[in-house]
Every structure is written in structure tokens, then in C-alpha cells.
């Protein structure tokens, strides 16, 4: 890891650690860490999931089953039943109505408390209809009250996200302590300038935090629960702003570095184009020109290349790589899986070696002599283009002069990996150009916030002759019909995929195992050559199967979603996807993109297991009608949220704590403008904002 530039002297002291709160020892601190809480500020920013209304006492006669409510009543009688399961029943009356408390676990102290007829209790819990027809509460929170007891609270009671062994009352107590410290100016200082807050109608951070932890009784619960409450939006705004600033700062730092200008005379690229069996589409030429302009600059390119499945991003990547090679430098292409890396390697080798360009392949599997030799060749410039998995950015890998780093299907990689590759080529203050390609189109607002460090190029045109993949939605009871379809396609000399979402029956609840499916299909279609590929096969076996399929030596390939991205076998014209109702739209679209890559008619059968809910039906319907990846991504975003669309769920990358890119989309424009303004007029706020929200854990935003 290269040395990091010195941080400017921090304008605000670090927020106090959790252990400064009363009652927090090492054990509790450990549990709180599990929730991501390390400082007192973190406690304040750990917002309730929902609220309970304990501001009112409801007469028993007005209770409705299913509601959470607070009651006050007198004990009339208690009993411990020992028939069957042992439990404690405590009968209560508030004069007008009766209710029973039921406990399956109880302490001697509780037994004693409830065994006092005439004692008054205040209870909070969910009301349900009891076994005998009356109303019940199971394991309510109870306390004994007398005439001197404090009145009910005038605040809504927060319910926090928690973890095993951490009780709500502990979290509530900590939040209370932290809120009391809010008045001491050093905790959670206001970082947004007053004028800006006034203009955007943003309350102060202290007011927002207080309002969310201890909302007054008259706060609209619906607004709180939907996340649209102004206090929550105030925090969401600041969080989005911090992320925006961190990416922008990252960009600024990278752009300040020098990069090798790649402006060769273009001979290699020219010959490459001439030899291609097709001509580039207008969109491919346009993005290549955009990339070319960037590469010619003495500053690192930071560009995101978006394009629908099958729009031809790989060839653009290869042409870009040649720009580096033409000036005597190197390029690297990183793919998220071995399968893809292997395929890119073959493509690049077939395209580039006839031009005298040395292409090498590096994966984690390469060991011993072969690996050492390859590393030497990379370090000595004998290899011009390296293709591989993330093995490319291990420490031992040194490039002689890496001028361009290309990352394919980037959403599988986290921002951190993106940074690591960027650092790879950093030598003597020089930084490689970077091109990121996404497999799945990303809706514009989302791209502008999640990739604020990148410029964007879009291939918005498919190669000519492509026909939309005919998509049908079929219950899996009609498998026979489906196998007849496969037989027909293969007889016509085509090939087919059969995709099963999970590998192994043990981990599958309903998903059919690829292994079993392959056996069944082999039995069912004895005349076909059936292959099987899944993530747990040894890499060599995987490759052998893929190569056989590509060469036409297999008719039907049964696979898990390992073939989701990038796999390119133009002769395949039929795809069956099992348990389609379990996959996201963008993922289905991506899978479907494995067919329809040639000019022949292709189809995709989405098999589902009935019954299919209305929503699921509508979701699959989107795929039947829609063939535009951007549109599908937009719908997917609505249906499943940004974590899935951006792939942050898969990479486990730090996600937003309070904001929600979908719900808070309408803030994103203001966030971007505010970021400009702060960078220009209040640069001193940038570092503390990033530190507050992104923290020391993430190197996100630092280079
Ligand atoms: P993706 O953008 O999904 O990565 P690929 O780069 O794998 O797409 O390209 C899909 C297929 O289209 C490949 O077989 C590729 O060779 C082919 N292709 C790319 N560009 C063109 C073009 N301009 N005309 C015809 N076929 C093309
Ligand atoms: Mg691709």
C-alpha cells in the first residue's frame, strides 16, 4: 500500500469512544461494535427502526388484537399451570375490561409480583385474542405502579436495530446518555453552514437527532416509519453528501496525479479494426473516441463504460488496451470470475496476438514456475496485456509500465478493489488510466451518486441484426414441453443453456440442484451431449466444459448463475432459467443476454414454481415485455432497492446507514450541488463530514 498523503490537521477532535458512557465495559462495547457502533456519535446516528407509543394508556375495552398498546390494570388473580407446558397466567381488570398476561418463562420474582391481587400494573405489549376468547398479552413488559409512580412518558419509545444479547433498554439508555451530551458542543457539531441549511430548509443536526431518538408524542408515526420525516431526511442528506464528497475528493486526488498520455499514431488500433469480422457500431465508435480523448491526456482517465448486455463492450476494451500497447506501455483487464477472465483472455489473444501483441493470463490458480515466469514477463514488459481475476492486484504482481487498468463487470468488485488496482500502476507519482465496465446498466441518478468519481460513457446501441430474445413465463409443471423445445433447438444445430440458481440440494429450499438437473436432463434427452458447470467445480474442469460448449462439442449446458456475466457463445439460442421468480430482474436480463448474441431468433423460458404471487407475476412480466437493460434496471431498483442493483450486497461493501438511494433519490441533485458548494466555499467541512459518515474503517475516499 503506498504511503497516504498527510491529512490536514483535523479541525475537530475525534468523537468520544463508547466506553466513556456509563455502564459500557469491554463486553458491551464488543456487542455494540457488532452493530458498527464505536463512538458516542455512532450511538446518536444509530436510528430507531420504529417506535412504540407508550404516551397513552388504553382502556382494555378499546384494545384491538394485533396492536401494540399500553394498559394499566389491577391484578385479579394469577395461576401457574403445570399441565402440559408450564406457564404463568395473570388476570387483570381495569374496571371496564379484563385481559390475561401469559408468560412461558418467568422468574420467581415475577411469580411473586403477579401473585398479589389488587396490585396495579402498567403493561406494554401486543394484544391478541387468547385461546379462550378473551384478550391476552404474551410476555409484555410490566411494572408495578402506585399513586406516586411517574406518569406515562410524553415521548414515543424508540425500537433500535439490535444484535444477540443486546436489549432494547440498554440501547435506549445509551441513546439517552448520548443525547444528554449533545449539548456539550464537541459532540456531533453542526457541520453544514447556517446559510445553506436555511436555504435548503434543513434543521440542525442536534435537532434532527433528538427528534428521531425521542420524538414528541404528537409526531406523525407514519412519517417516521416511512423514512420521510424531515429529521430523517436531514440526516440522509448529510450522509449522501458525505459519500458524494468522498468520491469527489477521491476523483480530485487521482486527477491531480500524472498519467502517461497515450497518443500513439494508432497503427495497431487501425489494423485491429480492419481485422475484426464486423464493423463497430456508431455508439462503440463514439465511446472509443471519448476514451481516446481521455487517454491522450497527461491525467488519469476515470471512466465508467455502461452498455446493455451484448452491446459489445469487450471489443471497446481491447481497442483501448491497444492505445497503451502502441506507446510501449501495458494494459490490464480484470474480470470478477475465472470463467470470465478465461473468456476475455481467449478473445484478447485471438484478436491481439496476430498483431504481435503478447497477452497473458493470470489467475489465483497459476502457481510455481509458471507463475514466476509470468511475473517476470510482466515486470519486464515482455507481456503487453494481462488478463485475469483479482489475482492481478496481489502485491507480488508488478508491471513494468501499467498505463491502463480495465475492470469488467465492475459491480462485482467493491470500491476498495477498484482502488487497489488503481494503486497497482502507481509508480513515481504516475497513475494508470482507468476504465470500468458495468455488466448491468445503472439508472442515471444512482450512477451519479455511486460513481461520482467517474465520467460516464454509454453504448446505447446494439450491433445490427440482433433480435430481441423471445421470453416466455412458464410454470415448472410444463417441463416436458420445455425439454421438447431444447430437443428441437439442438436438432437445428443450436445450443441451449439450462440455469439453476443454486448448486447443491442441501442449501436449496426449493431451488433445484444443477447436479441433479443435469442427471435428469441427460436421462430425458439421451441423444444430447449435456455438460455441467458450477462454481464448485475445479477451475480446470469448468474451463474444459466451457471450452467444449463454445466449440460446439456440447449441446446443452446446465449451469448455475456462474454464467450470469459475460459468457459469450453466439450459437446458443435457447435459455431456460429455473426458479426465475427468485432472481432479480437485472440478473435475469443479464442471464438472458447469454442468448440472442448472434443474428438468429433466440428465446428464453422463465420457469417458475407455482403459486406465483401477483407481484412476482408482474416482475416476470417486465422481462417478457422489456428488452432494454436501463429500463429493466430502473424497475429492478424500484422493486428491490439499490443494494441489489449496485451489487453492494454481494461485495459486502459498506452501504448507507440512514439514507436510501431509492427513497431519497429526490435529494441527490441538491446533494451534488451542495458538494460543489462546500468544496468551493467551505473546504474545511469536507474532511469532518467524510469522517463522521464514512469513518476510519473505509479507505473510501482516500488515495
Ligand atoms: P457485452 O457488452 O455484453 O460485454 P460483448 O462484448 O461480449 O458484449 O459482445 C457481444 C457479442 O457481440 C460478441 O460476440 C461480440 O463479438 C459481438 N460484437 C461486438 N461488437 C459488435 C459489432 N459492432 N457488430 C457485430 N457484433 C459485435
Ligand atoms: Mg461483457
Amino acid at each position: 500500500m503506498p504511503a497516504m498523503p498527510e491529512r490536514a490537521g483535523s479541525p475537530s477532535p475525534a468523537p468520544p469512544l463508547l466506553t466513556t458512557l456509563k455502564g459500557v465495559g469491554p463486553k458491551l462495547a464488543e456487542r455494540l461494535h457488532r452493530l458498527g457502533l464505536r463512538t458516542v456519535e455512532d450511538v446518536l446516528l444509530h436510528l430507531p427502526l420504529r417506535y412504540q407509543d407508550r404516551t397513552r394508556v388504553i382502556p382494555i375495552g378499546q384494545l384491538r388484537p394485533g396492536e401494540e398498546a399500553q394498559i394499566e390494570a389491577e391484578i385479579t388473580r394469577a395461576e401457574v399451570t403445570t399441565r402440559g407446558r408450564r406457564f404463568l397466567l395473570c388476570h387483570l381488570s381495569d374496571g371496564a375490561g379484563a385481559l390475561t398476561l401469559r408468560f412461558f418463562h418467568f422468574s420467581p420474582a415475577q411469580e411473586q409480583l403477579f401473585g398479589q391481587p389488587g396490585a396495579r400494573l402498567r403493561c406494554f405489549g401486543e394484544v391478541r385474542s387468547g385461546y379462550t376468547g378473551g384478550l391476552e398479552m404474551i410476555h409484555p413488559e410490566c411494572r408495578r405502579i402506585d399513586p406516586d409512580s411517574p406518569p406515562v412518558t410524553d415521548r414515543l419509545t424508540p425500537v433500535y436495530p439490535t444484535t444477540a444479547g443486546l436489549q432494547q433498554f440498554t440501547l435506549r439508555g445509551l441513546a439517552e446518555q448520548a443525547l444528554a451530551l449533545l449539548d456539550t458542543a464537541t459532540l456531533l457539531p453542526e457541520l453544514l453552514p447556517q446559510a445553506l441549511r436555511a436555504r435548503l430548509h434543513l434543521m440542525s443536526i442536534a435537532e434532527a437527532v433528538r427528534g428521531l431518538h425521542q420524538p414528541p408524542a404528537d409526531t406523525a408515526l407514519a412519517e417516521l416509519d416511512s423514512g420521510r420525516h424531515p429529521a430523517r431526511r436531514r440526516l440522509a442528506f448529510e450522509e449522501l453528501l458525505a459519500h458524494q464528497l468522498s468520491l469527489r475528493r477521491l476523483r480530485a486526488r487521482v486527477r491531480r496525479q500524472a498519467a502517461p498520455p497515450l497518443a500513439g499514431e494508432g497503427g495497431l488500433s487501425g489494423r485491429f479494426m480492419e481485422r475484426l469480422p464486423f464493423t463497430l457500431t456508431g455508439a462503440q465508435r463514439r465511446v472509443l473516441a471519448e476514451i481516446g480523448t481521455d487517454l491522450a491526456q497527461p491525467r488519469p482517465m476515470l471512466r465508467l463504460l455502461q452498455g446493455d448486455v451484448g452491446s459489445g463492450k469487450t471489443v471497446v476494451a481491447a481497442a483501448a488496451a491497444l492505445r497503451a500497447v502502441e506507446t510501449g506501455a501495458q494494459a490490464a483487464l480484470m474480470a470478477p470470475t475465472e470463467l470470465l477472465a478465461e473468456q476475455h483472455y481467449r478473445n484478447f489473444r485471438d484478436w491481439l496476438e496476430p498483431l504481435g501483441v503478447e497477452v497473458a493470463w493470470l489467475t489465483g490458480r497459476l502457481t510455481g514456475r509458471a507463475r514466476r515466469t509470468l511475473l517476470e514477463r510482466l515486470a519486464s514488459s515482455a507481456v503487453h496485456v494481462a488478463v485475469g481475476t483479482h489475482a492481478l492486484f496481489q502485491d507480488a504482481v508488478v508491471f513494468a509500465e501499467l498505463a491502463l487498468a480495465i475492470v469488467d463487470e465492475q459491480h462485482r468488485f467493491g470500491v476498495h478493489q477498484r482502488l487497489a488496482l488503481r494503486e497497482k500502476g502507481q509508480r513515481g507519482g504516475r497513475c494508470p488510466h482507468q476504465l470500468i465496465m458495468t455488466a448491468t446498466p445503472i439508472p442515471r441518478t444512482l450512477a451519479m451518486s455511486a460513481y461520482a468519481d467517474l465520467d460516464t460513457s454509454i453504448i446505447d446501441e446494439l450491433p445490427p441484426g440482433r433480435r430481441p430474445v423471445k421470453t416466455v413465463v412458464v410454470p415448472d409443471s410444463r417441463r416436458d414441453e420445455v425439454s421438447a423445445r431444447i430437443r428441437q433447438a439442438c436438432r437445428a444445430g443450436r445450443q441451449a443453456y439450462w440455469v439453476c440458481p443454486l448448486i447443491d440440494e442441501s442449501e436449496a429450499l426449493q431451488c433445484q440442484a444443477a447436479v441433479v438437473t443435469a442427471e435428469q436432463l441427460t436421462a430425458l434427452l439421451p441423444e444430447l451431449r449435456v455438460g455441467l458447470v458450477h462454481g464448485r467445480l475445479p477451475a480446470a474442469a469448468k474451463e474444459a466444459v466451457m471450452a467444449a460448449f463454445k466449440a460446439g462439442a456440447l449441446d446443452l449446458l446446465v449451469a448455475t448463475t456462474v454464467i450470469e456475466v459475460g459468457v459469450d457463445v453466439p450459437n446458443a439460442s435457447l435459455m431456460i432459467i429455473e426458479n426465475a421468480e427468485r432472481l432479480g430482474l437485472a440478473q435475469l436480463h443479464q442471464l438472458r443476454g447469454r442468448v440472442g448474441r448472434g443474428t438468429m431468433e433466440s428465446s428464453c423460458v422463465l420457469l417458475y414454481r407455482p403459486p406465483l404471487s401477483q407481484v412476482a407475476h408482474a416482475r416476470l412480466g417486465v422481462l417478457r415485455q422489456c428488452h432494454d437493460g436501463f429500463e429493466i434496471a430502473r424497475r429492478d431498483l424500484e422493486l428491490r432497492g439499490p443494494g441489489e442493483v449496485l451489487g453492494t450486497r454481494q461485495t459486502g461493501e459498506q452501504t448507507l446507514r440512514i439514507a436510501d438511494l431509492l427513497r431519497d433519490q429526490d435529494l441527490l441533485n441538491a446533494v451534488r450541488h451542495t458538494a460543489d458548494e462546500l468544496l468551493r466555499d467551505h473546504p474545511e467541512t469536507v474532511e469532518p463530514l467524510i469522517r463522521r459518515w464514512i469513518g476510519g474503517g473505509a479507505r473510501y475516499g482516500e488515495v
Side-chain angles (χ1 to χ4, degrees), residues 278-281 284 308-314 463 466 568 597:
F278 47 76
T279 49
L280 295 187
T281 62
Q284 283 170 318
D308 207 344
V309 165
S311 61
K313 295 183 285 288
T314 319
R466 291 282 170 79
D568 186 35
R597 298 174 87 79

Side-chain angles (χ1 to χ4, degrees), residues 56-83:
R56 291 171 303 155
V57 171
I58 313 285
I60 291 178
Q62 291 176 17
L63 294 177
R64 273 179 307 193
E67 277 177 358
E68 283 191 322
Q70 179 166 258
I71 58 161
E72 282 183 17
E74 242 168 53
I75 298 176
T76 50
R77 185 167 56 88
E79 58 191 301
V80 174
T81 314
T82 47
R83 253 177 302 118

Side-chain angles (χ1 to χ4, degrees), residues 482-532:
V482 176
S483 49
R485 266 183 111 125
I486 297 177
R487 186 173 282 134
Q488 200 184 352
C490 295
R491 240 185 232 146
R494 303 299 175 209
Q495 290 161 284
Y497 295 99
W498 184 295
V499 183
C500 320
L502 289 179
I503 321 171
D504 187 340
E505 225 147 34
S506 64
E507 62 183 41
L509 292 168
Q510 284 182 27
C511 291
Q512 199 117 24
V515 181
V516 175
T517 307
E519 283 166 11
Q520 287 169 348
L521 289 170
T522 307
L524 204 63
L525 299 163
E527 75 277 25
L528 298 188
R529 296 160 299 171
V530 180
L532 169 66

Side-chain angles (χ1 to χ4, degrees), residues 359-402:
V359 183
W361 185 36
L362 182 69
T363 72
R365 209 155 40 83
L366 197 65
T367 53
R369 260 271 295 285
R371 181 179 151 85
R372 274 200 306 280
T373 311
L374 174 59
L375 292 186
E376 277 164 25
R377 287 163 47 78
L378 276 175
S380 71
S381 272
V383 165
H384 306 118
V385 179
V387 181
T389 57
H390 47 267
L392 275 178
F393 52 60
Q394 282 159 1
D395 282 343
V397 182
V398 178
F399 290 85
E401 170 143 36
L402 180 62

